[in-house]
């Protein structure tokens, strides 16, 4: 074997491996592009819209519950939100 044949054998596998890496890279890009087209993703909103709903605080103008939500006992007519149930002792909040 002469010297020029040995040089050709040395760089040929390197070029082949580089070509293989390029083909694999392009193949993976093609697979992910196909998946992106088949399964489109919705854009994510970093902050969901905030509803401007006002929460009413308990006060004397609101009607009190007729029954305790914890024990189910009937409450008297003078009962108001924020008081403790006379039967079970739980604080009844709106």
């Amino acid at each position: 074997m002469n010297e020029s044949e040995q040089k050709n054998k040395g760089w040929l596998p390197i070029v082949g491996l580089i070509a293989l890496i390029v083909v694999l890279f392009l193949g993976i890009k093609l697979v992910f592009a196909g998946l992106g087209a088949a399964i489109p993703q919705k854009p994510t909103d970093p902050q969901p819209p905030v509803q401007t709903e006002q929460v009413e605080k308990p006060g004397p103008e609101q009607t009190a519950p007729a029954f305790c939500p914890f024990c189910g006992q009937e409450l008297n007519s003078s009962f108001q939100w924020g008081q403790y149930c006379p039967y079970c002792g739980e604080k009844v909040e709106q």
Side-chain angles (χ1 to χ4, degrees):
M1 256 197 314
N2 61 18
E3 205 173 295
S4 65
E5 288 179 10
Q6 288 179 346
K7 287 182 184 178
N8 288 342
K9 287 184 180 180
W11 63 269
L12 191 60
I14 294 172
V15 171
L17 289 175
I18 291 173
L20 180 64
I21 290 171
V22 169
V23 168
L24 289 176
F25 178 77
L26 293 176
I28 290 172
K29 289 290 247 184
L30 182 67
V31 167
F32 280 108
L35 285 175
I39 308 170
Q41 294 183 357
K42 297 178 185 175
T44 56
D45 191 13
Q47 294 179 350
V50 178
Q51 296 179 356
T52 58
E53 184 177 313
Q54 295 180 354
V55 178
E56 296 180 14
K57 294 184 178 181
E61 65 275 350
Q62 295 178 347
T63 58
F67 294 93
C68 176
F70 300 102
C71 65
Q73 293 290 326
E74 186 176 3
L75 301 170
N76 57 15
S77 61
S78 64
F79 189 84
Q80 295 180 357
W81 288 109
Q83 292 182 335
Y84 292 93
C85 174
Y87 302 104
C88 66
E90 294 288 329
K91 187 172 184 178
V92 181
E93 294 181 352
Q94 188 176 11

